[in-house]
mmCIF file of all heavy atoms in Angstrom:
data_model
loop_
_atom_site.group_PDB
_atom_site.id
_atom_site.type_symbol
_atom_site.label_atom_id
_atom_site.label_comp_id
_atom_site.label_asym_id
_atom_site.label_seq_id
_atom_site.Cartn_x
_atom_site.Cartn_y
_atom_site.Cartn_z
ATOM 1 N N LEU A 369 16.366 -213.044 55.478
ATOM 2 C CA LEU A 369 17.090 -212.227 54.515
ATOM 3 C C LEU A 369 17.153 -210.737 54.823
ATOM 4 O O LEU A 369 18.103 -210.061 54.438
ATOM 5 C CB LEU A 369 16.439 -212.392 53.127
ATOM 6 C CG LEU A 369 16.527 -213.771 52.481
ATOM 7 C CD1 LEU A 369 15.676 -213.804 51.219
ATOM 8 C CD2 LEU A 369 17.967 -214.114 52.139
ATOM 9 N N SER A 370 16.122 -210.196 55.504
ATOM 10 C CA SER A 370 15.908 -208.755 55.416
ATOM 11 C C SER A 370 16.563 -207.934 56.506
ATOM 12 O O SER A 370 16.708 -208.367 57.639
ATOM 13 C CB SER A 370 14.418 -208.450 55.465
ATOM 14 O OG SER A 370 13.713 -209.388 54.741
ATOM 15 N N ASP A 371 16.894 -206.671 56.122
ATOM 16 C CA ASP A 371 17.214 -205.647 57.106
ATOM 17 C C ASP A 371 15.925 -205.054 57.654
ATOM 18 O O ASP A 371 15.840 -204.690 58.814
ATOM 19 C CB ASP A 371 18.045 -204.537 56.461
ATOM 20 C CG ASP A 371 19.382 -205.067 55.983
ATOM 21 O OD1 ASP A 371 20.109 -205.642 56.810
ATOM 22 O OD2 ASP A 371 19.694 -204.934 54.777
ATOM 23 N N ARG A 372 14.952 -204.931 56.753
ATOM 24 C CA ARG A 372 13.648 -204.414 57.187
ATOM 25 C C ARG A 372 12.539 -205.199 56.509
ATOM 26 O O ARG A 372 12.696 -205.672 55.383
ATOM 27 C CB ARG A 372 13.510 -202.940 56.796
ATOM 28 C CG ARG A 372 14.142 -202.022 57.831
ATOM 29 C CD ARG A 372 13.719 -200.599 57.585
ATOM 30 N NE ARG A 372 14.156 -200.124 56.285
ATOM 31 C CZ ARG A 372 13.555 -199.110 55.665
ATOM 32 N NH1 ARG A 372 12.506 -198.506 56.204
ATOM 33 N NH2 ARG A 372 14.005 -198.714 54.495
ATOM 34 N N ILE A 373 11.409 -205.322 57.204
ATOM 35 C CA ILE A 373 10.259 -206.012 56.643
ATOM 36 C C ILE A 373 9.085 -205.041 56.597
ATOM 37 O O ILE A 373 8.758 -204.405 57.600
ATOM 38 C CB ILE A 373 9.889 -207.251 57.489
ATOM 39 C CG1 ILE A 373 11.067 -208.241 57.504
ATOM 40 C CG2 ILE A 373 8.640 -207.917 56.940
ATOM 41 C CD1 ILE A 373 10.848 -209.429 58.413
ATOM 42 N N VAL A 374 8.495 -204.924 55.422
ATOM 43 C CA VAL A 374 7.346 -204.044 55.242
ATOM 44 C C VAL A 374 6.092 -204.913 55.184
ATOM 45 O O VAL A 374 6.025 -205.853 54.399
ATOM 46 C CB VAL A 374 7.482 -203.253 53.922
ATOM 47 C CG1 VAL A 374 6.233 -202.446 53.639
ATOM 48 C CG2 VAL A 374 8.713 -202.365 53.959
ATOM 49 N N ILE A 375 5.130 -204.609 56.055
ATOM 50 C CA ILE A 375 3.880 -205.381 56.037
ATOM 51 C C ILE A 375 2.811 -204.555 55.339
ATOM 52 O O ILE A 375 2.606 -203.386 55.671
ATOM 53 C CB ILE A 375 3.413 -205.722 57.465
ATOM 54 C CG1 ILE A 375 4.520 -206.496 58.192
ATOM 55 C CG2 ILE A 375 2.134 -206.550 57.423
ATOM 56 C CD1 ILE A 375 4.160 -206.820 59.623
ATOM 57 N N MET A 376 2.168 -205.164 54.357
ATOM 58 C CA MET A 376 1.111 -204.450 53.629
ATOM 59 C C MET A 376 -0.243 -205.076 53.892
ATOM 60 O O MET A 376 -0.354 -206.264 54.174
ATOM 61 C CB MET A 376 1.400 -204.465 52.125
ATOM 62 C CG MET A 376 2.553 -203.546 51.744
ATOM 63 S SD MET A 376 2.826 -203.486 49.971
ATOM 64 C CE MET A 376 1.351 -202.656 49.422
ATOM 65 N N THR A 377 -1.285 -204.249 53.810
ATOM 66 C CA THR A 377 -2.650 -204.749 53.986
ATOM 67 C C THR A 377 -3.464 -204.400 52.750
ATOM 68 O O THR A 377 -3.200 -203.401 52.097
ATOM 69 C CB THR A 377 -3.320 -204.089 55.210
ATOM 70 O OG1 THR A 377 -3.197 -202.682 55.085
ATOM 71 C CG2 THR A 377 -2.668 -204.563 56.487
ATOM 72 N N PRO A 378 -4.462 -205.234 52.437
ATOM 73 C CA PRO A 378 -5.226 -205.018 51.205
ATOM 74 C C PRO A 378 -6.422 -204.078 51.357
ATOM 75 O O PRO A 378 -6.837 -203.788 52.470
ATOM 76 C CB PRO A 378 -5.702 -206.423 50.859
ATOM 77 C CG PRO A 378 -5.811 -207.118 52.172
ATOM 78 C CD PRO A 378 -4.815 -206.494 53.105
ATOM 79 N N ARG A 379 -6.945 -203.682 50.201
ATOM 80 C CA ARG A 379 -8.222 -202.957 50.051
ATOM 81 C C ARG A 379 -8.388 -201.809 51.024
ATOM 82 O O ARG A 379 -9.146 -201.948 51.958
ATOM 83 C CB ARG A 379 -9.390 -203.929 50.152
ATOM 84 C CG ARG A 379 -9.570 -204.735 48.874
ATOM 85 C CD ARG A 379 -10.605 -205.805 49.044
ATOM 86 N NE ARG A 379 -10.199 -206.789 50.010
ATOM 87 C CZ ARG A 379 -9.488 -207.889 49.718
ATOM 88 N NH1 ARG A 379 -9.157 -208.138 48.504
ATOM 89 N NH2 ARG A 379 -9.136 -208.721 50.667
ATOM 90 N N PRO A 380 -7.816 -200.677 50.840
ATOM 91 C CA PRO A 380 -6.836 -200.371 49.801
ATOM 92 C C PRO A 380 -5.443 -200.826 50.215
ATOM 93 O O PRO A 380 -5.183 -200.967 51.402
ATOM 94 C CB PRO A 380 -6.895 -198.843 49.732
ATOM 95 C CG PRO A 380 -7.224 -198.436 51.130
ATOM 96 C CD PRO A 380 -8.108 -199.511 51.687
ATOM 97 N N GLY A 381 -4.570 -201.045 49.240
ATOM 98 C CA GLY A 381 -3.221 -201.500 49.563
ATOM 99 C C GLY A 381 -2.429 -200.425 50.295
ATOM 100 O O GLY A 381 -2.216 -199.335 49.783
ATOM 101 N N ARG A 382 -2.064 -200.742 51.537
ATOM 102 C CA ARG A 382 -1.304 -199.788 52.349
ATOM 103 C C ARG A 382 -0.142 -200.477 53.021
ATOM 104 O O ARG A 382 -0.160 -201.682 53.211
ATOM 105 C CB ARG A 382 -2.182 -199.271 53.514
ATOM 106 C CG ARG A 382 -3.222 -198.293 53.187
ATOM 107 C CD ARG A 382 -3.934 -197.961 54.496
ATOM 108 N NE ARG A 382 -5.211 -197.321 54.256
ATOM 109 C CZ ARG A 382 -5.327 -196.035 53.923
ATOM 110 N NH1 ARG A 382 -4.251 -195.278 53.825
ATOM 111 N NH2 ARG A 382 -6.511 -195.517 53.705
ATOM 112 N N ILE A 383 0.806 -199.639 53.479
ATOM 113 C CA ILE A 383 1.851 -200.169 54.342
ATOM 114 C C ILE A 383 1.336 -200.026 55.761
ATOM 115 O O ILE A 383 1.052 -198.917 56.219
ATOM 116 C CB ILE A 383 3.157 -199.384 54.156
ATOM 117 C CG1 ILE A 383 3.700 -199.620 52.747
ATOM 118 C CG2 ILE A 383 4.171 -199.805 55.209
ATOM 119 C CD1 ILE A 383 4.986 -198.904 52.453
ATOM 120 N N SER A 384 1.190 -201.136 56.468
ATOM 121 C CA SER A 384 0.662 -201.011 57.828
ATOM 122 C C SER A 384 1.786 -200.906 58.844
ATOM 123 O O SER A 384 1.608 -200.325 59.899
ATOM 124 C CB SER A 384 -0.260 -202.185 58.151
ATOM 125 O OG SER A 384 0.498 -203.353 58.312
#
Side-chain angles (χ1 to χ4, degrees):
Chain A
L369 294 172
S370 321
D371 296 305
R372 275 193 298 157
I373 299 175
V374 174
I375 303 178
M376 288 184 68
T377 52
R379 283 173 295 271
R382 285 180 197 282
I383 294 180
S384 72

